[in-house]
Amino acid sequence: NGIGLAAPQINKSLQILIMDCSNKDNKYKPITLINPIIIDESKNLKLYEEGCLSFPEQYFKVSRPGFVKVNYLDIDGKSKDKVFTGFEAVCVQHEIDHLIGILFTSYISRLRRQIILKKMQKFKKNLNKSI
């Protein structure tokens, strides 16, 4: 049920992510980015609510650049530059963060991180009970 996934989230030490920001109204194809690097970004920050497959049912507002230009290799190994805006910019930044070991919880207050930790411990405990 996610819109993006980075290789480290499935225990792969690779610089690969895949994302699909489509909704019911448009026909967006999943995009694979290999070795993505942000080469430009807007100075203007936008506040978006983010969630993460690593933290089920947890959503927090995160401030990020409104657009980013990313250099990457596509699935055929061709070098590409693409400008991502709006929701796609949020998604690609979130997934690139995963590739460098940063979680979206790094952008929120320490208190909120502690709240998430407690919720995730409870979630794990309940998950283990149901197995």
Side-chain angles (χ1 to χ4, degrees), residues 22-80:
S22 63
N23 62 35
K24 295 176 185 174
D25 299 331
N26 65 22
K27 296 194 179 219
Y28 187 89
K29 294 186 339 187
I31 181 172
T32 301
L33 291 80
I34 302 167
N35 296 331
I37 299 170
I38 296 173
I39 56 175
D40 194 16
E41 62 185 36
S42 70
K43 303 288 184 246
N44 296 329
L45 301 179
K46 303 260 180 168
L47 195 60
Y48 287 94
E49 188 169 76
E50 292 187 33
C52 184
L53 294 172
S54 300
F55 298 92
E57 301 176 22
Q58 302 302 308
Y59 301 92
F60 293 96
K61 291 187 178 184
V62 176
S63 185
R64 295 185 183 272
F67 81 81
V68 289
K69 184 175 183 180
V70 179
N71 175 264
Y72 64 97
L73 297 176
D74 69 11
I75 196 74
D76 298 315
K78 294 180 183 169
S79 181
K80 303 236 176 170

Coordinates of all heavy atoms in Angstrom, one line a residue, residues 22-80:
S22 N 1.1 7.6 -8.6 CA -0.2 7.7 -9.3 C -1.4 7.7 -8.4 O -1.3 7.2 -7.3 CB -0.3 6.6 -10.3 OG -0.3 5.3 -9.7
N23 N -2.4 8.2 -8.9 CA -3.7 8.0 -8.2 C -4.7 7.5 -9.2 O -4.4 7.2 -10.3 CB -4.1 9.4 -7.5 CG -4.3 10.5 -8.5 OD1 -4.8 10.3 -9.6 ND2 -4.0 11.7 -8.2
K24 N -5.9 7.5 -8.8 CA -7.0 6.9 -9.7 C -7.2 7.7 -11.0 O -7.7 7.3 -12.0 CB -8.3 6.8 -9.0 CG -8.2 5.8 -7.8 CD -9.5 5.8 -7.1 CE -9.4 4.8 -5.9 NZ -10.5 4.9 -5.0
D25 N -6.8 9.0 -10.9 CA -7.1 9.9 -12.0 C -5.9 10.0 -13.1 O -6.2 10.6 -14.1 CB -7.3 11.3 -11.5 CG -8.5 11.3 -10.6 OD1 -9.4 10.5 -10.8 OD2 -8.6 12.2 -9.7
N26 N -4.8 9.5 -12.8 CA -3.7 9.6 -13.8 C -3.1 8.2 -14.0 O -3.2 7.3 -13.2 CB -2.7 10.7 -13.5 CG -1.9 10.4 -12.2 OD1 -1.8 9.3 -11.8 ND2 -1.4 11.5 -11.6
K27 N -2.3 8.1 -15.1 CA -1.7 6.9 -15.4 C -0.2 7.0 -15.3 O 0.5 7.2 -16.3 CB -2.1 6.4 -16.8 CG -3.5 6.1 -16.9 CD -3.9 5.4 -18.2 CE -5.4 5.1 -18.2 NZ -5.7 3.8 -18.7
Y28 N 0.3 7.0 -14.1 CA 1.7 7.2 -13.9 C 2.3 5.8 -13.8 O 1.8 4.9 -13.1 CB 1.9 7.9 -12.5 CG 3.3 8.3 -12.2 CD1 3.9 9.4 -12.6 CD2 4.1 7.4 -11.4 CE1 5.2 9.8 -12.3 CE2 5.4 7.7 -11.1 CZ 5.9 8.9 -11.5 OH 7.2 9.3 -11.2
K29 N 3.4 5.5 -14.4 CA 4.1 4.2 -14.3 C 5.1 4.3 -13.2 O 5.7 5.3 -13.0 CB 4.7 3.9 -15.6 CG 3.8 3.7 -16.8 CD 4.4 3.2 -18.1 CE 5.8 3.4 -18.3 NZ 6.3 3.1 -19.6
P30 N 5.3 3.1 -12.5 CA 6.4 3.1 -11.5 C 7.7 3.5 -12.2 O 8.0 3.2 -13.3 CB 6.4 1.6 -11.1 CG 5.0 1.1 -11.4 CD 4.6 1.9 -12.7
I31 N 8.5 4.2 -11.4 CA 9.8 4.6 -11.9 C 10.9 4.0 -10.9 O 10.7 4.0 -9.7 CB 9.9 6.2 -12.0 CG1 11.3 6.6 -12.5 CG2 9.6 6.8 -10.6 CD1 11.4 8.1 -12.8
T32 N 11.9 3.5 -11.5 CA 13.0 2.9 -10.8 C 14.2 3.9 -10.9 O 14.5 4.3 -12.0 CB 13.4 1.6 -11.3 OG1 12.3 0.7 -11.2 CG2 14.6 1.0 -10.6
L33 N 14.8 4.2 -9.8 CA 16.0 5.1 -9.8 C 17.1 4.4 -9.2 O 17.0 3.9 -8.0 CB 15.7 6.4 -9.0 CG 14.7 7.4 -9.5 CD1 13.3 7.0 -9.3 CD2 14.9 8.8 -9.0
I34 N 18.2 4.3 -9.9 CA 19.4 3.6 -9.4 C 20.5 4.7 -9.2 O 20.7 5.5 -10.1 CB 19.9 2.6 -10.5 CG1 18.8 1.6 -10.8 CG2 21.2 1.9 -10.0 CD1 19.0 0.7 -12.0
N35 N 21.1 4.6 -8.1 CA 22.2 5.6 -7.7 C 21.7 7.0 -7.8 O 22.3 7.9 -8.3 CB 23.4 5.4 -8.5 CG 24.1 4.0 -8.3 OD1 24.0 3.5 -7.2 ND2 24.8 3.5 -9.3
P36 N 20.5 7.3 -7.2 CA 19.9 8.7 -7.3 C 20.7 9.7 -6.5 O 21.1 9.3 -5.4 CB 18.5 8.5 -6.8 CG 18.6 7.4 -5.9 CD 19.6 6.4 -6.4
I37 N 20.9 10.8 -7.1 CA 21.6 11.9 -6.4 C 20.8 13.2 -6.6 O 20.5 13.5 -7.8 CB 23.0 12.1 -6.9 CG1 23.9 10.9 -6.6 CG2 23.7 13.3 -6.2 CD1 25.2 10.9 -7.3
I38 N 20.5 13.9 -5.6 CA 19.8 15.2 -5.7 C 20.9 16.2 -6.2 O 21.9 16.4 -5.5 CB 19.1 15.7 -4.4 CG1 18.0 14.7 -4.1 CG2 18.6 17.1 -4.6 CD1 17.3 14.9 -2.7
I39 N 20.7 16.8 -7.4 CA 21.7 17.8 -7.9 C 21.2 19.2 -7.8 O 22.0 20.1 -8.0 CB 22.1 17.4 -9.3 CG1 20.9 17.3 -10.3 CG2 22.9 16.1 -9.3 CD1 21.2 17.1 -11.7
D40 N 19.9 19.4 -7.5 CA 19.4 20.8 -7.3 C 18.1 20.7 -6.5 O 17.4 19.6 -6.6 CB 19.2 21.4 -8.7 CG 19.0 23.0 -8.6 OD1 19.3 23.5 -7.5 OD2 18.5 23.6 -9.5
E41 N 17.8 21.7 -5.8 CA 16.6 21.8 -5.0 C 16.2 23.2 -4.8 O 17.0 24.1 -4.9 CB 16.8 21.1 -3.7 CG 17.8 21.7 -2.8 CD 18.0 20.9 -1.5 OE1 18.0 19.7 -1.5 OE2 18.2 21.6 -0.5
S42 N 14.9 23.4 -4.6 CA 14.3 24.7 -4.4 C 14.7 25.2 -3.0 O 15.0 24.4 -2.1 CB 12.8 24.7 -4.6 OG 12.2 24.0 -3.5
K43 N 14.8 26.5 -2.9 CA 15.1 27.1 -1.6 C 13.8 27.1 -0.8 O 13.9 27.2 0.4 CB 15.6 28.5 -1.8 CG 16.9 28.6 -2.7 CD 18.1 28.1 -2.0 CE 19.3 28.3 -2.9 NZ 19.9 27.0 -3.3
N44 N 12.7 27.2 -1.5 CA 11.4 27.2 -0.8 C 11.0 25.9 -0.3 O 11.1 24.9 -1.0 CB 10.3 27.7 -1.7 CG 10.5 29.1 -2.2 OD1 11.1 29.9 -1.5 ND2 10.1 29.4 -3.4
L45 N 10.7 25.8 1.0 CA 10.3 24.6 1.7 C 8.8 24.5 1.7 O 8.1 25.5 1.8 CB 10.9 24.5 3.1 CG 12.4 24.5 3.2 CD1 12.8 24.5 4.7 CD2 13.1 23.5 2.4
K46 N 8.3 23.2 1.6 CA 6.9 22.9 1.6 C 6.7 21.9 2.8 O 7.5 21.0 3.0 CB 6.4 22.4 0.3 CG 6.6 23.2 -0.9 CD 5.4 24.0 -1.2 CE 5.7 24.8 -2.4 NZ 4.5 25.4 -3.0
L47 N 5.5 22.1 3.4 CA 5.2 21.2 4.5 C 4.2 20.1 4.0 O 3.2 20.5 3.5 CB 4.6 22.0 5.7 CG 4.4 21.3 7.0 CD1 5.8 20.9 7.6 CD2 3.8 22.2 8.0
Y48 N 4.6 18.8 4.1 CA 3.7 17.7 3.7 C 3.6 16.7 4.8 O 4.5 16.5 5.6 CB 4.3 17.0 2.5 CG 4.2 17.8 1.2 CD1 5.3 18.6 0.8 CD2 3.1 17.7 0.4 CE1 5.2 19.3 -0.4 CE2 3.1 18.4 -0.8 CZ 4.1 19.1 -1.2 OH 4.0 19.8 -2.4
E49 N 2.5 16.1 4.9 CA 2.3 15.0 5.8 C 2.9 13.7 5.2 O 2.5 13.4 4.0 CB 0.8 14.8 6.1 CG 0.6 13.8 7.3 CD -0.8 13.7 7.8 OE1 -1.6 13.2 7.1 OE2 -1.0 14.3 8.9
E50 N 3.8 13.1 5.9 CA 4.4 11.9 5.4 C 4.1 10.7 6.3 O 3.9 10.8 7.5 CB 5.9 12.0 5.3 CG 6.4 13.0 4.3 CD 7.9 13.1 4.2 OE1 8.6 12.0 4.3 OE2 8.4 14.1 3.9
G51 N 4.1 9.5 5.6 CA 4.1 8.3 6.3 C 5.2 7.4 5.8 O 5.9 7.8 4.9
C52 N 5.3 6.2 6.4 CA 6.4 5.3 5.9 C 6.0 3.9 6.2 O 5.4 3.6 7.2 CB 7.7 5.7 6.7 SG 9.1 4.7 6.2
L53 N 6.3 3.0 5.2 CA 6.0 1.6 5.4 C 6.8 1.0 6.6 O 6.3 0.0 7.2 CB 6.4 0.8 4.1 CG 5.6 1.1 2.9 CD1 6.2 0.4 1.7 CD2 4.1 0.7 3.1
S54 N 7.9 1.6 7.0 CA 8.7 1.2 8.1 C 8.0 1.5 9.5 O 8.3 1.0 10.5 CB 10.1 1.8 8.1 OG 10.8 1.4 7.0
F55 N 7.0 2.5 9.4 CA 6.3 2.9 10.6 C 4.8 2.9 10.3 O 4.2 4.0 10.0 CB 6.7 4.3 11.0 CG 8.2 4.4 11.4 CD1 9.1 4.7 10.4 CD2 8.6 4.2 12.7 CE1 10.5 4.8 10.8 CE2 9.9 4.2 13.0 CZ 10.9 4.5 12.1
P56 N 4.2 1.7 10.3 CA 2.8 1.7 9.9 C 1.9 2.6 10.6 O 2.0 2.7 11.9 CB 2.4 0.2 10.2 CG 3.7 -0.5 10.2 CD 4.7 0.5 10.7
E57 N 1.0 3.2 9.9 CA -0.1 4.1 10.5 C 0.5 5.3 11.2 O -0.3 5.9 12.1 CB -1.0 3.3 11.3 CG -1.7 2.2 10.5 CD -2.6 1.3 11.4 OE1 -3.0 1.7 12.5 OE2 -2.8 0.1 11.0
Q58 N 1.7 5.7 11.0 CA 2.2 6.9 11.6 C 2.5 8.0 10.6 O 3.1 7.7 9.5 CB 3.6 6.6 12.3 CG 3.4 5.5 13.4 CD 2.4 5.9 14.4 OE1 2.5 6.9 15.0 NE2 1.5 5.0 14.7
Y59 N 1.9 9.2 10.8 CA 2.0 10.2 9.8 C 2.5 11.5 10.5 O 1.9 11.8 11.6 CB 0.7 10.5 9.1 CG 0.2 9.2 8.4 CD1 -0.6 8.3 9.0 CD2 0.7 9.0 7.1 CE1 -1.0 7.2 8.3 CE2 0.3 7.8 6.4 CZ -0.6 6.9 7.1 OH -1.0 5.8 6.4
F60 N 3.4 12.2 9.9 CA 3.9 13.5 10.5 C 4.2 14.5 9.4 O 4.5 14.1 8.3 CB 5.2 13.2 11.3 CG 4.9 12.4 12.6 CD1 5.1 11.0 12.6 CD2 4.4 13.0 13.7 CE1 4.9 10.3 13.7 CE2 4.2 12.2 14.8 CZ 4.4 10.9 14.8
K61 N 4.1 15.7 9.8 CA 4.4 16.8 8.8 C 5.9 17.0 8.8 O 6.5 17.1 9.8 CB 3.7 18.1 9.2 CG 2.2 17.9 9.0 CD 1.4 19.2 9.2 CE -0.1 18.9 8.9 NZ -0.9 20.1 9.0
V62 N 6.4 17.0 7.5 CA 7.8 17.2 7.3 C 8.0 18.3 6.3 O 7.3 18.4 5.3 CB 8.5 15.9 6.8 CG1 9.9 16.1 6.5 CG2 8.3 14.8 7.8
S63 N 9.0 19.2 6.5 CA 9.3 20.3 5.6 C 10.4 19.9 4.7 O 11.5 19.5 5.2 CB 9.7 21.5 6.5 OG 9.9 22.6 5.7
R64 N 10.2 20.0 3.4 CA 11.2 19.6 2.4 C 11.1 20.6 1.2 O 10.1 21.3 1.1 CB 10.9 18.2 1.8 CG 11.0 17.1 2.8 CD 10.8 15.8 2.1 NE 10.8 14.6 3.0 CZ 11.9 13.9 3.3 NH1 13.0 14.3 2.9 NH2 11.8 12.9 4.1
P65 N 12.2 20.7 0.4 CA 12.2 21.5 -0.7 C 11.0 21.2 -1.6 O 10.7 20.0 -1.8 CB 13.5 21.2 -1.4 CG 14.4 20.8 -0.3 CD 13.5 20.0 0.6
G66 N 10.4 22.2 -2.2 CA 9.2 22.0 -3.1 C 9.5 21.3 -4.4 O 8.7 20.7 -5.0
F67 N 10.8 21.4 -4.9 CA 11.2 20.6 -6.1 C 12.6 20.2 -5.9 O 13.4 20.8 -5.1 CB 11.0 21.4 -7.4 CG 12.2 22.3 -7.7 CD1 13.4 21.9 -8.2 CD2 12.0 23.7 -7.4 CE1 14.4 22.8 -8.5 CE2 13.1 24.6 -7.7 CZ 14.3 24.1 -8.2
V68 N 12.9 19.0 -6.5 CA 14.3 18.6 -6.5 C 14.6 18.1 -8.0 O 13.7 17.6 -8.7 CB 14.6 17.4 -5.5 CG1 14.6 17.9 -4.1 CG2 13.6 16.3 -5.7
K69 N 15.8 18.3 -8.4 CA 16.3 17.7 -9.6 C 17.2 16.5 -9.3 O 18.2 16.7 -8.4 CB 17.1 18.7 -10.4 CG 17.5 18.3 -11.8 CD 18.2 19.4 -12.6 CE 18.6 18.9 -14.0 NZ 19.2 20.1 -14.7
V70 N 17.0 15.4 -9.8 CA 17.7 14.1 -9.4 C 18.4 13.6 -10.6 O 17.8 13.4 -11.7 CB 16.7 13.1 -8.8 CG1 17.4 11.8 -8.4 CG2 16.0 13.7 -7.6
N71 N 19.6 13.2 -10.5 CA 20.3 12.4 -11.5 C 20.3 11.0 -11.1 O 20.6 10.7 -9.9 CB 21.8 12.9 -11.6 CG 22.6 12.1 -12.6 OD1 23.3 11.2 -12.2 ND2 22.5 12.3 -13.9
Y72 N 20.1 10.1 -12.0 CA 20.0 8.6 -11.6 C 20.1 7.8 -12.9 O 20.1 8.3 -14.0 CB 18.6 8.3 -11.0 CG 17.4 8.5 -11.9 CD1 16.8 7.5 -12.6 CD2 16.9 9.8 -12.0 CE1 15.8 7.7 -13.4 CE2 15.8 10.0 -12.9 CZ 15.2 9.0 -13.6 OH 14.1 9.2 -14.4
L73 N 20.3 6.5 -12.7 CA 20.3 5.6 -13.8 C 18.9 5.0 -13.9 O 18.4 4.6 -12.8 CB 21.3 4.5 -13.6 CG 22.8 4.9 -13.6 CD1 23.7 3.7 -13.3 CD2 23.2 5.6 -14.9
D74 N 18.3 4.8 -15.1 CA 17.0 4.2 -15.1 C 17.2 2.7 -15.2 O 18.3 2.1 -15.1 CB 16.2 4.7 -16.3 CG 16.8 4.3 -17.7 OD1 17.7 3.5 -17.8 OD2 16.3 4.9 -18.7
I75 N 16.1 1.9 -15.3 CA 16.2 0.5 -15.3 C 17.0 -0.1 -16.4 O 17.5 -1.2 -16.4 CB 14.7 -0.1 -15.3 CG1 14.7 -1.6 -14.9 CG2 14.0 0.1 -16.6 CD1 14.9 -1.8 -13.4
D76 N 17.2 0.7 -17.5 CA 18.0 0.2 -18.7 C 19.5 0.7 -18.5 O 20.3 0.5 -19.5 CB 17.4 0.7 -20.0 CG 16.0 0.2 -20.2 OD1 15.8 -1.0 -20.0 OD2 15.1 1.0 -20.6
G77 N 19.8 1.3 -17.4 CA 21.2 1.8 -17.2 C 21.5 3.1 -17.8 O 22.7 3.5 -17.9
K78 N 20.5 3.9 -18.3 CA 20.7 5.2 -19.0 C 20.7 6.3 -17.9 O 19.8 6.3 -17.1 CB 19.6 5.4 -20.0 CG 19.7 4.5 -21.2 CD 18.7 4.8 -22.2 CE 18.7 3.7 -23.3 NZ 17.6 3.8 -24.2
S79 N 21.6 7.2 -18.0 CA 21.7 8.3 -17.1 C 20.5 9.3 -17.4 O 20.3 9.6 -18.6 CB 23.0 9.0 -17.2 OG 23.1 10.1 -16.3
K80 N 19.9 9.7 -16.4 CA 18.7 10.7 -16.6 C 18.8 11.7 -15.5 O 19.3 11.5 -14.4 CB 17.4 9.9 -16.4 CG 17.2 8.8 -17.4 CD 16.0 9.0 -18.1 CE 15.9 7.8 -19.2 NZ 14.7 7.7 -19.8

